[in-house]
Amino acid sequence: MLLRIRSRDGLERVQVGGPHVSISQLNALIESQLQIPIHNQTLSTDRNLLLAKTPADLLRFTDMSDPSRPLSSLNLSHGSVVFLYYQGERTVRGGAPVCPAGSFGRKMTMDDLIAKQTRITRQESPHCDSVSFDRDSANAFQRYVNETLAFAVKRCGFMYGTVSEEGRVEVDFIYEPPQQGMEDDLILLRDPEEEKLVDAIAAGLGRKRVGFIFTQTIMQDKKDYNFSNKEVLQAAELHAESGLKEWVTVVVKLEANEDGDADVHFEAFQMSDMCVKLFKEGWFVTEFGEDDDPKLSKMKKEVVVGGKDVKEVDNDFFLVVVKIIDHQVHNS
């Protein structure tokens, strides 16, 4: 049986005899395989152990303090993660000695922890309170992709409007840049000069770029996802580029209703802070194969999702729902 041991030095593996092994036997195996003396070890299934900074902090982690307790009683099995805190320095196999800073082990900052363990969780609250659409602009966009294109190819646009002090985004018009629409992908042929012109016109009207809107085709198999992996990449790139914390991404799709007819739906999201951060730092795999699952984003390095180390993340973890309302622009 293989256990994964996560410490300040990263993720390592220890071979154990099975779930019947006791904690004291695990301590001995860690000593022999990872060169960490038993008396320096504190073990726990609680990841917060890695944030301990004083001896008193360690006393809170008691789930693995009984040396006779079997691993099976902690529901530890092949591939499970155990968190390890230790004092002093050690020589990591194949590497140089690891020297901690400070008088008690190594002082872990959140940046240190993230560097060793990037965890992806759902972001509960958006930075945008809500998004409001001018009805005429929204109808013009959806009518074209519905009645002219029949949702057979993708279209997209940049949304322009205002952001209130409360974080409410009001979209007054949509600009569609040059693009190639495809059945399952979208390529923006961006014209920087034209975009600057549109930005300047918007600024003259007291408006600015506040979000991105795109359509999904009827050929996409969207039963298991809101955004495909390619759509996540596109949305994350534009969100990161905007520098606007209230930036909104809106998807327009055609879905069957209870009567069997098709309805056009607008759904608004923000890309999570973690998603934008990972995109900026180059964590996302940007090339896809035909057999790749569209509802999963592939990562270049392992991240932690639900306590497991993975390289594929459900796209929904990167989406934060934003409520939609509408408004009418009155031109004087």
Side-chain angles (χ1 to χ4, degrees), residues 115-330:
K116 297 295 184 184
Q117 174 180 307
T118 298
R119 292 180 293 171
I120 295 178
T121 58
R122 296 184 188 276
Q123 181 177 321
E124 297 300 329
S125 301
H127 297 292
C128 173
D129 174 73
S130 61
V131 57
S132 171
F133 282 92
D134 169 61
R135 280 170 285 176
D136 291 340
S137 295
N139 285 336
F141 182 78
Q142 68 89 13
R143 189 181 303 116
Y144 174 66
V145 296
N146 185 18
E147 298 177 4
T148 304
L149 301 178
F151 280 90
V153 295
K154 294 193 135 185
R155 297 294 288 177
C156 73
F158 289 113
M159 302 185 296
Y160 285 80
T162 58
V163 180
S164 71
E165 293 182 358
E166 297 77 20
R168 173 178 168 180
V169 172
E170 290 193 354
V171 178
D172 295 329
F173 68 91
I174 298 170
Y175 154 68
E176 292 186 55
Q179 57 197 277
Q180 286 184 342
M182 303 176 66
E183 291 185 2
D184 63 348
D185 202 353
L186 183 63
I187 300 175
L188 291 181
L189 302 179
R190 302 180 64 178
D191 184 335
E193 293 302 318
E194 184 172 306
E195 288 185 22
K196 287 181 181 179
L197 177 60
V198 176
D199 288 345
I201 294 173
L205 298 171
R207 305 294 186 266
K208 64 181 179 181
R209 200 180 301 191
V210 294
F212 176 62
I213 186 170
F214 70 94
T215 64
Q216 289 179 335
T217 71
I218 56 175
M219 282 72 77
Q220 286 182 261
D221 183 9
K222 303 182 295 290
K223 295 179 180 178
D224 296 330
Y225 66 84
N226 289 301
F227 281 24
S228 72
N229 43 25
K230 295 177 183 178
E231 291 163 353
V232 165
L233 280 177
Q234 180 79 86
E237 177 183 5
L238 295 173
H239 192 145
E241 176 187 297
S242 75
L244 182 67
K245 70 175 183 178
E246 295 90 358
W247 181 268
V248 181
T249 300
V250 175
V251 58
V252 183
K253 59 182 71 174
L254 196 67
E255 293 185 344
N257 59 31
E258 295 179 354
D259 299 325
D261 298 324
D263 290 333
V264 177
H265 287 273
F266 282 65
E267 296 179 5
F269 301 90
Q270 282 200 293
M271 309 313 291
S272 70
D273 295 342
M274 177 59 77
C275 177
V276 176
K277 178 178 182 294
L278 293 177
F279 178 83
K280 288 180 177 179
E281 295 177 356
W283 284 62
F284 284 92
V285 173
T286 57
E287 300 294 331
F288 301 95
E290 292 183 0
D291 297 329
D292 288 335
D293 190 335
K295 69 174 180 288
L296 299 176
S297 290
K298 300 175 70 174
M299 315 304 292
K300 294 178 181 178
K301 296 182 286 186
E302 284 190 340
V303 294
V304 180
V305 179
K308 296 182 179 179
D309 296 291
V310 299
K311 277 194 169 183
E312 293 184 326
V313 181
D314 190 313
N315 299 333
D316 282 351
F317 275 96
F318 296 128
L319 303 179
V320 189
V321 176
V322 175
K323 62 183 178 182
I324 294 180
I325 52 182
D326 65 4
H327 70 275
Q328 188 81 41
V329 173
H330 299 286

